[in-house]
Each structure stands twice: as structure tokens, then as C-alpha cells.
Amino acid sequence: ELVEYGAILHDIGWHIGGKGHHKHSMYLIVHGGLKGFTPEEVEIIANIARYHRKSPPKGKHLEYQGLSARAKKVVDVGAGILRLADGMDRSHAGVIQDVKCNAAGEGDVVCTLTTRSDAALELWAAQRKDDLFKKAFGRGIACKRTRRCRMMDGPTQPHG
């Protein structure tokens, strides 16, 4: 649930400015007076939003270092997933319509993306942002895509 709230609020910092919006998001969440959450839950939500882009948590990041080991794990997992999702929406054009992941076996988690058009930018961005996912899960991701296109006279057809 905290990961979901972090995902919902991760771009709220754009209301202050685009540059450093991940840090602005953290500030707004921490100081926004969110009701119904414990102080630790607010810190977790804020850190998930903070780490959705740019550098992963570091020793000099005091807000992260002040978290309990359990809270750090929630942040690492949540921000790791959110970074991938954010990459998969790089163009903000809704190119990726569906994601199915298979974690069977010991290798990379295979994510099959259903797209409505060229998704090269989204695939590049997701692969580029898998560092925190690797830290949290000990595995990378491998993306493949299937394209859906609307036929003039029929239902949506998958294309490889």
C-alpha cells in the first residue's frame, strides 16, 4: 500500500519545478501533513518518490539512512519497481498498454510489454533504470514486446 501511495505521489514535485522534482516530491510528502499515516509510513512514501529517478540511495542521504532496515527494504523494493514503471512511461504517451512479468527460474525477470506503437524509448529507459530493482531483488529485468494494432474491421491483433 505504501508503494502505491509513493507511486501516486512521485511526480507531485513537478508543481515546484521539473529540475530536481524527485527531491521536491519528497519534501512535499514529508511536509504535506498526510493524514492517516504514521511518521515512518510518510518517510517510506517520501523516499519511494525521492528515488523514482536519478541516483539510488546513498550513505550521504540522511532521510534514507534514518529509516529502519525494514523500511529501507520497502523503499528499495517500491522505488525499484517505480523506477521501471517510470521508465516504461518515458514518453508520457501511453505507448505501453500492458506488462506481464515472469520471475520463474533464476535469471532475469522477463517483462513482456504490450505496446500500441514503437516503444524503443520506453524499453531503453526501463533497462537504464533497473539498478535499484537489481539491488532489491538480486535479479535484472529483460524486456520483450508484443505490439497490438487495431485492424480496420476486426479486434485488436497481437504482432511480434
Side-chain angles (χ1 to χ4, degrees):
E1 188 175 82
L2 299 177
V3 174
E4 182 179 3
Y5 289 117
I8 290 168
L9 295 171
H10 80 278
D11 274 343
I12 195 168
W14 274 103
H15 293 285
I16 294 174
K19 184 175 180 176
H21 77 272
H22 56 298
K23 294 177 184 177
H24 298 314
S25 293
M26 178 179 217
Y27 180 87
L28 289 171
I29 293 166
V30 168
H31 298 286
L34 297 178
K35 305 289 186 219
F37 298 100
T38 66
E40 182 182 52
E41 290 172 335
V42 171
E43 290 292 330
I44 290 170
I45 293 166
N47 274 276
I48 289 170
R50 159 67 172 93
Y51 294 109
H52 87 274
R53 66 184 298 264
K54 296 286 186 173
S55 69
K58 295 181 181 174
K60 65 181 182 177
H61 298 165
L62 299 179
E63 297 87 353
Y64 179 82
Q65 293 307 324
L67 296 173
S68 68
R70 180 197 154 279
K72 286 178 185 175
K73 182 68 174 173
V74 174
V75 170
D76 291 350
V77 167
I81 293 169
L82 181 56
R83 286 169 79 91
L84 293 177
D86 196 57
M88 290 178 190
D89 190 36
R90 175 82 171 146
S91 67
H92 299 286
V95 172
I96 296 178
Q97 296 178 310
D98 190 35
V99 178
K100 294 196 182 340
C101 296
N102 185 342
E106 297 181 22
D108 289 344
V109 174
V110 178
C111 297
T112 303
L113 313 174
T114 304
T115 66
R116 63 180 180 89
S117 61
D118 180 32
L121 179 61
E122 285 74 13
L123 290 171
W124 170 80
Q127 295 285 174
R128 192 175 134 258
K129 296 176 79 167
D130 73 346
D131 54 345
L132 202 48
F133 185 91
K134 284 180 182 174
K135 177 185 173 192
F137 294 100
R139 319 168 64 163
I141 62 154
C143 294
K144 62 181 185 175
R145 73 179 192 99
T146 59
R147 185 169 176 197
R148 290 190 169 283
C149 60
R150 178 88 38 203
M151 302 300 285
M152 294 293 280
D153 58 349
T156 303
Q157 300 284 329
H159 291 276

